[in-house]
């Protein structure tokens, strides 16, 4: 069965960096685009970033462009989100999500991890 | 950016009653629309894709309809496990979510 397990969240000061990870299993990780989606406390869902199945294409929401970097390690079946210059408004639960279609394209998210909480506070 | 607007923000329904949730897109998204269910403390779970196709594990009391800019999620007879927040998402042009509709017990 598909499993996505995030880790790496925590409390970080404004302006600092943090990297969160998502360990994937139960499917061919190298065949699917992967996403990060975040949810601020008590708020709705916001798409953050996507990486293509082979890592060659990466796209970001305007709110994080230039500060966040998505990457993947096929050998470790792991997705990453490097977050730099963090702001209070980046405080959220960060979910990784699997794209539904092998190879990419604009599609829905068929599996989600349980999320990891990132709190940006001094 | 395509803006997704859900209504109402909160829907109070008695168990066994019908619930109708709406989602409107700021421009046409064809049938590239998904619905997700999120219960407290849990991750979102795919419910509907392609505007009307139910995901694995959800019963027939859940149905989706619409195309273009207007979409509806209907729960025909609410069960206790259906009380949750429901989000619509367009995937026609990148990905954007509505702000959610909370279905609560009346």
């Amino acid at each position: 069965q598909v499993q996505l397990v995030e880790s790496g969240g925590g409390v970080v000061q404004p302006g600092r960096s943090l990297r969160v990870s998502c360990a994937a299993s139960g499917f061919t990780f190298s065949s699917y685009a992967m996403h990060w989606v975040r949810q601020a406390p008590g708020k709705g869902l916001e798409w953050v970033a996507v990486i293509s199945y082979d890592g060659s294409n990466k796209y970001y929401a305007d709110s994080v462009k230039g500060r966040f970097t998505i990457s993947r390690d096929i050998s470790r079946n792991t997705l990453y989100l490097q977050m730099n210059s963090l702001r209070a408004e980046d405080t959220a639960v960060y979910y990784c999500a699997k794209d539904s279609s092998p190879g990419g394209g604009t599609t829905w998210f068929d599996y989600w991890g349980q999320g990891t909480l990132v709190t940006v506070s001094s | 950016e395509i803006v997704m607007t859900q209504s109402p923000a909160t829907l109070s329904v008695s168990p066994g009653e019908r619930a109708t949730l709406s989602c409107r897109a700021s421009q046409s998204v064809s049938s590239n629309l998904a619905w997700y269910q999120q219960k407290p403390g849990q991750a979102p779970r795919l419910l509907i894709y392609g505007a009307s196709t139910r995901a694995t594990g959800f019963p027939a009391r859940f149905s989706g309809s619409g195309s273009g800019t207007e979409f509806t999620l209907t729960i025909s007879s609410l069960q206790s496990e259906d009380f949750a927040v429901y989000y619509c998402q367009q995937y026609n042009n990148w990905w954007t979510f509505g702000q959610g509709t909370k279905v609560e017990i009346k």
Side-chain angles (χ1 to χ4, degrees):
Chain A
Q1 71 282 18
V2 173
Q3 278 199 307
L4 299 170
V5 180
E6 298 94 337
S7 60
V11 180
V12 59
Q13 293 179 328
R16 302 299 291 264
S17 299
L18 191 69
R19 188 180 78 165
V20 293
S21 304
C22 169
S25 61
F27 66 102
T28 305
F29 181 68
S30 58
S31 294
Y32 291 85
M34 295 292 295
H35 302 260
W36 286 101
V37 178
R38 68 184 180 182
Q39 186 171 35
K43 303 297 184 181
L45 302 168
E46 180 189 16
W47 173 80
V48 172
V50 62
I51 185 168
S52 61
Y53 69 99
D54 60 357
S56 62
N57 294 296
K58 305 172 186 181
Y59 301 98
Y60 302 90
D62 287 344
S63 57
V64 306
K65 200 173 294 181
R67 300 187 299 123
F68 288 14
T69 301
I70 189 171
S71 62
R72 65 195 300 164
D73 185 335
I74 302 297
S75 67
R76 295 176 183 266
N77 279 4
T78 302
L79 176 73
Y80 301 101
L81 185 67
Q82 175 69 43
M83 301 180 287
N84 298 333
S85 303
L86 282 161
R87 306 166 180 167
E89 55 266 34
D90 295 319
T91 294
V93 174
Y94 285 75
Y95 295 102
C96 63
K98 172 184 168 291
D99 202 86
S100 60
S101 177
T106 310
T107 64
W108 59 95
F109 308 159
D110 57 358
Y111 291 93
W112 298 60
Q114 86 288 349
T116 187
L117 176 62
V118 173
T119 303
V120 184
S121 173
S122 54
Chain B
E1 175 184 316
I2 299 176
V3 177
M4 307 301 291
T5 303
Q6 291 185 241
S7 60
T10 302
L11 188 60
S12 298
V13 185
S14 299
E17 290 188 340
R18 183 185 194 92
T20 302
L21 290 66
S22 295
C23 175
R24 175 176 293 178
S26 59
Q27 64 189 78
S28 177
V29 298
S30 186
S31 294
N32 295 318
L33 185 107
W35 291 92
Y36 298 87
Q37 179 192 66
Q38 187 177 36
K39 296 181 179 179
Q42 297 185 17
R45 183 183 171 196
L46 176 67
L47 169 59
I48 297 279
Y49 59 92
S52 61
T53 302
R54 250 185 346 269
T56 303
F58 283 96
R61 65 178 180 271
F62 290 92
S63 62
S65 63
S67 66
T69 62
E70 300 284 343
F71 300 88
T72 300
L73 174 67
T74 301
I75 312 171
S76 60
S77 177
L78 271 158
Q79 305 299 304
S80 57
E81 61 268 29
D82 302 335
F83 292 96
V85 179
Y86 293 85
Y87 293 94
C88 63
Q89 175 208 38
Q90 68 81 20
Y91 50 91
N92 190 66
N93 186 348
W94 303 102
W95 301 271
T96 48
F97 294 89
Q99 79 279 21
T101 291
K102 181 180 181 180
V103 178
E104 64 176 24
I105 300 174
K106 187 174 182 179

